[in-house]
Amino acid sequence: MSGVRVRFPPSPSGDLHVGNVRSALFNYAFARHERGAFVFRIEDTDTARSTEESYRSLLADLRWLGLDWDEGPQVGGEYGPYRQSERTGLYADVAARLRGAGYGYDCYCTAEEVATRNRAAGRPAGYDGHCRDLTESERDGHLAAGRTPVLRFRMPGERVEFTDLVRGTVGFDAEHVPDYVLVRADGSPLYTLTNPVDDALMRITHVLRGEDLLASTPRQIPLHRALRDLGISDAPMPAFGHLPFVMGEGNRKLSKRETPEVSLNHLRARGYLPEAVLNYLALLGWSMGEDTEIFTLDQMCRAFTLDRVGVNPARFDPKKLLAVNGTKIRALSTDEFADRVTPFLIGAGLVADPPTVGQAELLRAAAPLVRERTNLLTDAVGMLGFLFADGDAFTVDEAAAAKQLTGAHAGTVKAAVAALEPLPGWTADNLQAALREALVDRLGLKPKHAFGPVRVAVTGRQVSPPLFESLELLGRDRTLARLRDALSRVGE
RNA sequence: GGCCCCGUCGUCUAGAGGCCCAGGACGCCGCCCUCUCAAGGCGGUAGCGCCGGUUCGAAUCCGGUCGGGGCUACCA
């Protein structure tokens, strides 16, 4: 293992969206490429927003994606605990030392007071340093008034420059980075404190995160220095790299309302493959070069370097994700495909949990036929339903019947029954020959019109796997039974 | 408003001064295949935001401009 250490530090509020996943993926790929460590940390200092439920789904999501972490919840590590809510004592200690050394100071101002002063002075927003050097009597006055202070970081008053791993040199002048709050008035630590402290304590070497945090970097660098100065950390300053945004449609923020596909839960439920989600997301802000767009996680890790990370924001495109998903599904082996579809069939109540031996065999036999026409695993459920739904569970779609099973189709269905009843070998080839002969040659129907009614009668839908193979899989008895049922429907 | 980041087909991108009258992918359109739907094959549509400069030569370098985004919380 090299010395590279990166982290993915989500806060457990709401479910993971594609933007988070993309950040996790890049960190993961970088760690693997560098043979470093991928640290998973939970930033749940905002108790009002953090929930246990979303903490658990965070773990499940990362597991589902296959982004295994080297350190973090459930696996431990030498820098734990990895849940910030379990590190509060540590933050209190760091805060006290920062205050003691003058790197932090108590601030009694309310947001309104600061805003009022800035407005009066014609200054832009941001803290004005009012409490930086309070006299003892001023402090006593605030205390007497019942105010409790926040802990504010004392910025060093000099320009901060750093070399961003993806953007190059970025600099901020001191007057644009005001002193900021580290600890709330109630004593609880803020992200502004816990994030840099943990990066230092966990010896993170590369901070790869969203572009929205670019502006907070000049605040974190002096804090890192203070931590080192006080001997709280002896870790080198991490390198920072800011990944381009993943935007929603119309260049607006990602919105689950507008585009449900941005939610990982939704993607999983709809039948997207984790490897497809990852592959697609890799394309947002990174490219393998040449013209390769489809690759495995492993291939990505081998090829992943920061110099190929782009700088401009990317729009999330559900259509392309779907196309990648289809490509990945078609690349699955028959058995893998069957395995992936099974949970959806169980969920739909079409097969037992676990499937019976017969169901499993039928599924495997049908898999190659269905896999070819599936872009979403949930599509497959619709196409496979007729094979597993027996008796009353099998229904004919009314809209399909209205088009293909009316009185006008009586002759077609009747001829089909007559042709299939005496058929000796129930194979796709024989079935095709018999139906063509009876419907196309004898009745003079166009193939399209000849087979449509049969398809609807037997599969219940207008869209199905290839007809003759479907009939073979369904078997003689069930096929004929359904055709006879259709007979009564068309009025025979 | 201030500060910061960004600007190649509708979208994601390749492109690191001549290999580019810009390549790939998704989408879209057409054709082929065809029992439905897909898949597949073939073809097509469409882009270097704009203006200056540097250079023999710029998508590539520089400046400006316009446009988009982020930050400006006792959220993360």
Side-chain angles (χ1 to χ4, degrees):
Chain A
M1 216 171 243
S2 74
V4 167
R5 295 174 57 78
V6 297
R7 83 302 196 266
F8 174 57
S11 61
S13 50
D15 54 332
L16 228 41
H17 62 71
V18 291
N20 299 323
V21 174
R22 203 279 313 263
S23 283
L25 172 63
F26 281 27
N27 275 284
Y28 176 88
F30 182 67
R32 291 291 167 264
H33 185 264
E34 301 294 330
R35 299 184 186 290
F38 177 57
V39 178
F40 184 21
R41 185 171 77 217
I42 307 294
E43 307 219 324
D44 53 355
T45 52
D46 186 351
T47 50
R49 294 194 198 186
S50 302
T51 67
E52 189 65 21
E53 181 199 1
S54 116
Y55 164 71
R56 275 195 298 269
S57 82
L58 229 36
L59 301 189
D61 287 345
L62 234 51
R63 293 276 185 218
W64 179 71
L65 288 164
L67 299 180
D68 300 317
W69 53 99
D70 303 301
E71 295 173 30
Q74 295 181 334
V75 310
E78 63 175 302
Y79 300 96
Y82 293 89
R83 247 184 121 165
Q84 294 190 328
S85 56
E86 295 170 11
R87 298 167 68 82
T88 51
L90 188 154
Y91 303 128
D93 181 54
V94 171
R97 292 170 72 179
L98 250 14
R99 180 193 284 107
Y103 279 115
Y105 60 90
D106 287 338
C107 171
Y108 297 85
C109 300
T110 65
E112 301 79 69
E113 288 168 349
V114 176
T116 304
R117 286 198 299 269
N118 284 337
R119 224 174 299 123
R123 276 190 305 257
Y127 190 64
D128 58 357
H130 184 263
C131 291
R132 271 191 155 212
D133 302 292
L134 246 32
T135 64
E136 218 152 294
S137 66
E138 286 172 318
R139 185 184 323 263
D140 291 346
H142 283 127
L143 259 14
R147 292 193 177 199
T148 44
V150 298
L151 181 66
R152 213 175 262 282
F153 186 73
R154 189 189 303 272
M155 286 292 291
E158 56 193 34
R159 180 178 168 78
V160 178
E161 265 186 15
F162 61 97
T163 305
D164 190 281
L165 262 12
V166 340
R167 285 154 216 279
T169 303
V170 182
F172 296 81
D173 286 321
E175 67 262 37
H176 299 123
V177 192
D179 296 348
Y180 59 95
V181 179
L182 297 170
V183 180
R184 294 185 180 90
D186 70 1
S188 61
L190 248 18
Y191 156 86
T192 51
L193 175 72
T194 63
N195 180 276
V197 164
D198 283 347
D199 284 346
L201 262 26
M202 295 179 181
R203 308 189 74 82
I204 298 303
T205 59
H206 300 255
V207 172
L208 303 178
R209 60 193 354 175
E211 187 187 338
D212 50 332
L213 291 166
L214 183 60
S216 75
T217 307
R219 306 192 303 192
Q220 298 184 342
I221 286 174
L223 177 53
H224 265 101
R225 291 193 182 125
L227 260 19
R228 285 175 49 128
D229 179 50
L230 296 177
I232 294 170
S233 155
D234 64 348
M237 179 79 63
F240 294 89
H242 292 90
L243 309 174
F245 263 113
V246 177
M247 306 297 293
E249 282 167 302
N251 214 18
R252 289 189 298 276
K253 280 182 71 174
L254 289 171
S255 149
K256 285 168 195 163
R257 230 190 132 89
E258 287 180 48
T259 316
E261 285 90 344
V262 308
S263 156
L264 197 63
N265 284 341
H266 178 268
L267 294 176
R268 181 171 35 201
R270 282 300 307 281
Y272 285 88
L273 264 29
E275 59 265 50
V277 174
L278 256 19
N279 190 151
Y280 171 65
L281 256 19
L283 267 18
L284 264 31
W286 181 77
S287 76
M288 197 131 106
E290 284 138 51
D291 292 327
T292 310
E293 284 199 325
I294 300 295
F295 39 76
T296 64
L297 214 209
D298 206 56
Q299 290 169 327
M300 177 190 180
C301 291
R302 258 178 275 137
F304 191 86
T305 54
L306 258 16
D307 61 338
R308 295 204 63 83
V309 174
V311 289
N312 47 315
R315 241 77 53 196
F316 176 77
D317 179 4
K319 290 238 184 71
K320 175 115 183 183
L321 204 213
L322 183 61
V324 172
N325 202 54
T327 302
K328 291 287 186 181
I329 284 178
R330 265 162 254 126
L332 255 24
S333 72
T334 300
D335 285 349
E336 272 177 318
F337 177 76
D339 288 347
R340 306 281 190 119
V341 171
T342 299
F344 292 91
L345 292 174
I346 293 171
L350 288 166
V351 301
D353 182 13
T356 64
V357 174
Q359 288 171 335
E361 272 173 22
L362 195 50
L363 175 56
R364 205 158 336 140
L369 261 31
V370 177
R371 182 228 274 136
E372 228 43 40
R373 25 187 63 74
T374 299
N375 283 317
L376 235 34
L377 292 177
T378 44
D379 293 346
V381 174
M383 271 185 287
L384 285 163
F386 78 98
L387 283 174
F388 298 101
D390 275 320
D392 291 344
F394 174 77
T395 56
V396 175
D397 177 64
E398 287 308 322
K403 287 186 179 173
Q404 300 283 355
L405 288 179
T406 69
H409 303 99
T412 310
V413 179
K414 226 164 113 179
V417 174
L420 298 186
E421 263 173 346
L423 192 69
W426 196 261
T427 66
D429 285 347
N430 288 351
L431 286 158
Q432 166 149 227
L435 287 173
R436 270 191 195 284
E437 203 268 337
L439 307 180
V440 179
D441 299 343
R442 294 245 287 275
L443 293 184
L445 293 168
K446 287 217 161 86
K448 192 174 180 173
H449 298 122
F451 305 132
V454 178
R455 181 189 312 283
V456 174
V458 173
T459 70
R461 310 167 82 233
Q462 284 186 278
V463 174
S464 81
L467 184 60
F468 313 112
E469 286 82 351
S470 295
L471 300 188
E472 180 183 329
L473 288 171
L474 227 210
R476 162 177 255 125
D477 295 345
R478 289 200 287 173
T479 298
L480 288 172
R482 286 181 192 180
L483 282 171
R484 288 188 195 108
D485 284 349
L487 231 34
S488 59
R489 182 188 281 272
V490 297
E492 277 298 315

